[in-house]
Amino acid sequence: MSALPYQSIPLVKGLPLVGNLPKFLRSPLDNARSLEVHGNVVRSRTFFETVTLLGPDANQFVLHDREGNFSSRGGCYYWIDAVFPGVIMAMDNPAHKHHRRIMQGAFQRRAMERYVADMGPVIADVLATWPQGGMKVFPQVKALTLNIAARVFMGMALGPEADRMNQAFIDTVEASLALIRKPVPPFGMWRGVRARGFLVDLMRSKLAGKRASEGPDLFSQLCHARGEDGERFTDDEVVNHMIFLMMAAHDTTTSTLTTLFYCLARDPAWQDRLRADAQALPNDQLQYADLPGCERTEWAMKEALRLYPPLTSIPRKAAKDCSFGGFQIPKGTPVGISPIHTHHMPSIWTDPHRFDPERFSPARAEHKQHPYAYLPFGGGAHLCIGQHFADMEVKSVLHQVLRQFRFSVPAGYRMPYQLVPIAKPKDGLPITLQRL
């Protein structure tokens, strides 16, 4: 049976001019569910008409993509090119394969062992300043992860430039959703482009020193990394990758850690289980060799990422004519998939709105029911290259926090979430800390 033409795909018009954009910004999950009633292939408007494909089979069709049906660059450039040009997530082959092959050297085991060792003292120094009593988690964790990224990625301790660097990353990320797409003052895109200029100048000021001698930090590793044929990154490529990796390393990890704080503050039984695991390990600061002892922490992290994936949707553009779910998708069509929707499908997950880390245990392994049921780090060729680094960082931070603090929120508290462009609490997540 031949696929139906594109115009046969159900169309959800939404509001005049803005379409489904307000609903998407308010709740990507509710928006996806409102589309799902029309099927797993639906047209709608946000900034422009997009075809949304829903469910794990759709995720696999778009992300596995051995046929080359979809362009990552085509899906991403509109959102990020002005502030994050030349990044690996917005590349197609052969450039993507070329850059990823060179970059992988910075994430090999020997490098990862150094990164874990380097982040431990940074975490200890920051946690020593955390107060007994009330604290807002998000800004504190964001400052912590930025300090970790600076030490591990750039080989430096942050001084007076910390606040400006933090604001620069906030401005560049927010520019991705700016309604006015030109850098017109004082609007979001202008702030984002100006912030990028500051970050470029900062990276370039350190580039010559990183090229001159090979150090253990990721910046130096990228400067000296070579592909199979001896190829190296240009200066512009190193700067572009560093800015994006710094943003991703601290923004998405901050999102994950904040969600974990929230879930464990509301579930003291799970907090106590993970604390017992942390206290059973021999070192105050997590070592690479300790990671196998963090199995239940890994389940909890995965569950936090399932409930609140840092990126709730993944954009692509059809690179050639293709079809899915009985409908034609013409070349040039913007296409999106929705991880947050798949992560809450009751056909895959038991009681999907409940925090239940044991769903990731070997005994249950709900995430393995379909290879694309769980995708907080994307999938296929564009699977996030830093996912194992993020895993180590979250475990390292939580290990020290659990050994030093109990933390709680008032009974009945529900964290108000902003889920776009990256998941974070609207109120900063106020908690009560008690030193052990």
Side-chain angles (χ1 to χ4, degrees):
M1 181 178 175
S2 60
L4 295 171
Y6 175 80
Q7 294 301 325
S8 299
I9 298 174
L11 172 63
V12 177
K13 293 183 178 179
L15 299 172
L17 298 178
V18 295
N20 275 39
L21 180 60
K23 182 181 288 188
F24 171 74
L25 293 176
R26 186 167 59 249
S27 173
L29 178 57
D30 289 345
N31 179 62
R33 284 180 169 154
S34 73
L35 300 178
E36 185 185 28
V37 299
H38 302 279
N40 63 347
V41 184
V42 186
R43 289 185 293 150
S44 64
R45 287 193 62 84
T46 49
F47 284 88
F48 34 73
E49 186 169 296
T50 298
V51 173
T52 299
L53 307 181
L54 296 170
D57 290 339
N59 301 336
Q60 184 166 11
F61 175 65
V62 172
L63 296 179
H64 193 62
D65 194 26
R66 292 289 175 84
E67 297 78 23
N69 289 322
F70 298 101
S71 166
S72 182
R73 167 143 189 82
C76 294
Y77 79 89
Y78 175 85
W79 309 105
I80 68 173
D81 252 26
V83 285
F84 296 114
V87 300
I88 195 168
M89 71 173 285
M91 290 180 178
D92 297 323
N93 285 333
H96 175 263
K97 187 179 292 185
H98 169 76
H99 280 251
R100 192 177 182 98
R101 189 165 53 233
I102 299 174
M103 196 178 292
Q104 279 172 338
F107 292 98
Q108 291 175 348
R109 174 169 177 158
R110 186 177 298 176
M112 300 288 261
E113 290 174 348
R114 289 197 303 266
Y115 299 157
V116 172
D118 285 347
M119 67 177 69
V122 179
I123 297 166
D125 288 347
V126 171
L127 294 191
T129 70
W130 282 13
Q132 172 102 347
M135 183 187 85
K136 289 199 172 184
V137 169
F138 182 79
Q140 294 285 349
V141 169
K142 200 169 195 307
L144 169 59
T145 59
L146 184 59
N147 272 281
I148 293 171
R151 176 67 183 88
V152 173
F153 282 17
M154 298 181 68
M156 60 180 280
L158 289 180
E161 73 270 36
D163 288 343
R164 189 172 178 192
M165 187 186 290
N166 188 34
Q167 189 59 49
F169 284 119
I170 292 171
D171 289 343
T172 50
V173 170
E174 289 183 349
S176 66
L177 286 178
L179 292 172
I180 299 172
R181 304 303 295 177
K182 299 290 184 182
V184 178
F187 300 108
M189 183 59 75
W190 173 77
R191 293 194 298 273
V193 170
R194 187 177 62 165
R196 173 178 170 77
F198 162 74
L199 294 170
V200 168
D201 290 344
L202 177 64
M203 299 300 172
R204 284 199 171 277
S205 72
K206 302 182 182 302
L207 194 59
K210 298 296 182 183
R211 289 283 198 201
S213 62
E214 185 170 355
D217 56 278
L218 185 137
F219 197 167
S220 182
Q221 293 293 304
L222 289 182
C223 285
H224 294 274
R226 293 182 180 271
E228 294 173 358
D229 300 321
E231 64 273 34
R232 297 171 64 180
F233 287 134
T234 67
D235 287 357
D236 285 346
E237 288 169 345
V238 170
V239 167
N240 288 339
H241 288 317
M242 275 301 301
I243 291 173
F244 187 73
L245 287 169
M246 284 285 292
M247 181 281 293
H250 94 278
D251 259 18
T252 57
T253 307
T254 296
S255 175
T256 305
L257 279 166
T258 303
T259 302
L260 256 177
F261 266 96
Y262 172 55
C263 293
L264 294 175
R266 291 187 62 214
D267 195 328
W270 261 103
Q271 187 183 146
D272 287 341
R273 289 186 195 118
L274 300 190
R275 181 174 295 105
D277 292 347
Q279 291 172 337
L281 292 173
N283 301 300
D284 288 337
Q285 298 176 18
L286 198 70
Q287 305 299 306
Y288 191 86
D290 297 329
L291 291 171
C294 301
E295 184 182 30
R296 291 199 294 188
T297 298
E298 183 167 319
W299 302 350
M301 180 190 72
K302 287 181 174 178
E303 178 70 336
L305 285 166
R306 181 190 70 83
L307 288 166
Y308 302 101
L311 298 177
T312 58
S313 59
I314 299 175
R316 292 289 188 267
K317 181 172 281 190
K320 60 184 181 181
D321 294 346
C322 56
S323 61
F324 179 80
F327 295 100
Q328 296 173 11
I329 302 174
K331 177 181 178 180
T333 302
V335 172
I337 58 173
S338 177
I340 197 169
H341 171 265
T342 309
H343 288 183
H344 287 80
M345 292 179 69
S347 58
I348 300 172
W349 311 97
T350 305
D351 195 4
H353 293 284
R354 186 165 66 91
F355 177 70
D356 180 9
E358 284 188 345
R359 71 174 81 247
F360 288 95
S361 67
R364 288 172 59 184
E366 293 182 4
H367 59 303
K368 293 186 176 180
Q369 294 182 68
H370 190 289
Y372 284 80
Y374 178 69
L375 55 159
F377 295 101
H382 281 83
L383 182 70
C384 175
I385 195 169
Q387 67 166 321
H388 296 303
F389 178 88
D391 174 270
M392 294 189 316
E393 183 175 2
V394 169
K395 289 174 180 175
S396 295
V397 171
L398 201 63
H399 174 77
Q400 293 197 42
V401 168
L402 288 167
R403 287 169 72 106
Q404 295 186 47
F405 297 100
R406 294 186 188 279
F407 47 96
S408 60
V409 290
Y413 169 82
R414 295 293 183 271
M415 180 164 64
Y417 257 105
Q418 170 189 314
L419 287 165
V420 181
I422 293 177
K424 66 178 185 179
K426 293 179 180 178
D427 63 355
L429 178 55
I431 65 167
T432 300
L433 287 172
Q434 177 188 351
R435 279 199 178 270
L436 299 176

